[in-house]
Amino acid sequence: MENARDSLDQEACYRAVLTRDPRFDGRFFTCVKTTGIYCRPVCPARTPRRENMSFVASAAAAEEAGFRACLRCRPETAPDMGAWRGTSNTVSRALGLIDAGALDSHSESGGDVDALAARLGVGERHLRRLFRQHLGAAPVSVAQTRRVLLAKALIHQTDLGMAEVALASGFGSVRRFNETFQRLYGRPPSALRRRAEKAGDGGIRLSLPYRAPYEIEAMLAALAARGDVVEGGVWRRALTAEADGATGEVSARFEDGNRLAVTVAIADLKALPGVLARVRRVFDLSADPEAIQHDLAADALLAPLVRARPGLRLPGGWLDAGADMASDRLEDARLAGRAEQWRPWRAYGALHLREAGIDDAHLMENGDEKDAA
């Protein structure tokens, strides 16, 4: 079976690093053999020699291979844009569950990959093979990297104590938290803190990245239209113990630099990863506009629509127990025939048609004319 690393064009990755092309930020990571560090393609540090570099599909693959995250380009701030996205429904669903803490020791599954596989309806060995194929790392490695990168973001962007950071990022204990950072960075986690970066009052504030373009006003309007609380450009939601594992409130607003500023006031810090995963889903922060436009443009009707509005995003549900990827869901069965060529972006294709005011009757007429021709 092809490994995720083998699927990457290593020379193309190197060219992207040489030019620090922002289009590739988050799509792969650079491992530097001479320093033991892995970086984003846009890292401002001097580019190493080609023979000292290799490229992997995910941060987890880099850490599993023994590389530690660069403290200069901070991989935790890269857009969630792995090149695998859209290629595996099972991996996509699994990552959503892992982001929400499914493999953390305090989760319902107790960090058990077997339990995660059962929730996905696949065997544990098959799930491991899929992760190795698409991400180049095992599920437990992906979960560990998620914990480490969230912890780094909390250390850099908030003023939480180290014990609170450990709890909020999904580590089972402060001892394991300290040991992990000592092993990865050769220093305690407190040594990574930049004291100039402190959270304001009123909760934990984090900045979540996304890839431009993004139609901010269209997203906020869609959220408001479905009944979400949106006032003055700020989206808010009350948290409940039943749905979120703790009571509290979360709010979000867009800020400069292609980032969503999220503030979470929560009674139990262990629930933070799940809340952040749901915010990412609601605002569709992991969308890949370039891939979506490329694939949907194969349809002559959609081509001008996606070129005109490449920043359209899908408002996601706060709770989503769907057995398929939200990006590929099709609510209108009448579009099924034509939409087959839109996979895995059928939901985006339908969204562009709705926004353009193109209804099923118009599509049927076009189809009849094509058949007659």
Side-chain angles (χ1 to χ4, degrees), residues 328-346:
D328 203 36
R329 288 177 192 157
L330 194 64
E331 297 178 359
D332 191 342
R334 292 172 295 184
L335 291 175
R338 185 181 192 118
E340 192 62 28
Q341 63 178 311
W342 304 345
R343 289 184 182 275
W345 317 115
R346 295 190 302 174

Side-chain angles (χ1 to χ4, degrees), residues 301-346:
L301 182 61
L302 286 177
L305 303 182
V306 295
R307 282 197 297 267
R309 302 185 66 180
L312 270 184
R313 300 291 175 101
L314 283 170
W318 183 252
L319 299 178
D320 188 348
D324 55 355
M325 294 185 294
S327 66
D328 203 36
R329 288 177 192 157
L330 194 64
E331 297 178 359
D332 191 342
R334 292 172 295 184
L335 291 175
R338 185 181 192 118
E340 192 62 28
Q341 63 178 311
W342 304 345
R343 289 184 182 275
W345 317 115
R346 295 190 302 174

Side-chain angles (χ1 to χ4, degrees), residues 1-326:
M1 179 179 291
E2 185 180 43
N3 185 279
R5 181 187 182 280
D6 298 332
S7 67
L8 290 173
D9 184 330
Q10 298 283 304
E11 296 307 317
C13 290
Y14 182 60
R15 291 193 295 271
V17 171
L18 285 176
T19 59
R20 294 180 175 82
D21 192 334
R23 294 176 300 170
F24 293 90
D25 191 15
R27 295 184 187 276
F28 66 85
F29 293 88
T30 301
C31 298
V32 184
K33 302 172 187 176
T34 50
T35 62
I37 288 173
Y38 75 92
C39 303
R40 297 159 60 186
V42 295
C43 185
R46 183 173 63 87
T47 303
R49 298 174 64 176
R50 173 67 184 88
E51 59 266 27
N52 295 327
M53 303 170 70
S54 63
F55 307 96
V56 294
S58 68
E63 294 199 357
E64 190 177 84
F67 294 88
R68 63 186 185 277
C70 175
L71 297 178
R72 188 169 181 182
C73 66
R74 295 172 56 188
E76 73 274 12
T77 64
D80 184 13
M81 291 296 302
W84 63 271
R85 285 201 174 274
T87 61
S88 172
N89 178 41
T90 300
V91 172
S92 179
R93 291 168 57 210
L95 273 194
L97 293 172
I98 290 174
D99 284 345
L103 290 185
D104 294 343
S105 59
H106 57 71
S107 67
E108 292 182 6
S109 62
D112 188 352
V113 177
D114 284 326
L116 175 62
R119 291 178 66 178
L120 297 167
V122 299
E124 180 265 345
R125 291 180 61 188
H126 181 57
L127 183 62
R128 290 181 187 275
R129 284 196 297 269
L130 287 175
F131 266 67
R132 186 66 59 186
Q133 176 186 353
H134 294 282
L135 298 173
V140 291
S141 298
V142 172
Q144 171 81 328
T145 299
R146 193 271 301 164
R147 286 190 287 268
V148 169
L149 296 184
L150 175 55
K152 283 188 77 238
L154 290 168
I155 290 169
H156 284 301
Q157 298 182 38
T158 79
D159 202 32
L160 289 175
M162 291 300 118
E164 294 175 306
V165 170
L167 191 65
S169 53
F171 283 90
S173 68
V174 176
R175 179 183 61 81
R176 177 189 252 179
F177 170 63
N178 288 328
E179 288 176 349
T180 299
F181 272 77
Q182 191 68 45
R183 175 174 53 83
L184 288 175
Y185 300 103
R187 66 193 75 181
S190 57
L192 301 179
R193 169 151 279 165
R194 298 174 181 175
R195 283 297 175 185
E197 298 186 60
K198 293 187 177 183
D201 297 332
I204 301 166
R205 184 187 180 281
L206 284 172
S207 182
L208 305 182
Y210 60 84
R211 185 177 297 279
Y214 192 118
E215 288 200 20
I216 294 173
E217 295 304 322
M219 172 59 79
L220 293 177
L223 293 174
R226 75 180 190 185
D228 288 21
V229 177
V230 180
E231 297 175 345
V234 179
W235 171 90
R236 298 182 186 278
R237 183 182 177 90
L239 304 175
T240 66
E242 296 76 19
D244 307 301
T247 57
E249 183 184 75
V250 58
S251 64
R253 62 175 178 80
F254 290 91
E255 60 182 8
D256 293 339
N258 300 328
R259 296 184 177 275
L260 183 73
V262 179
T263 302
V264 183
I266 197 165
D268 187 348
L269 288 173
K270 289 187 294 186
L272 181 64
V275 171
L276 295 177
R278 294 182 187 105
V279 170
R280 288 190 182 95
R281 181 168 61 229
V282 166
F283 286 91
D284 200 14
L285 298 185
S286 296
D288 184 343
E290 184 175 335
I292 294 168
Q293 180 177 348
H294 176 272
D295 291 349
L296 293 184
D299 186 305
L301 182 61
L302 286 177
L305 303 182
V306 295
R307 282 197 297 267
R309 302 185 66 180
L312 270 184
R313 300 291 175 101
L314 283 170
W318 183 252
L319 299 178
D320 188 348
D324 55 355
M325 294 185 294

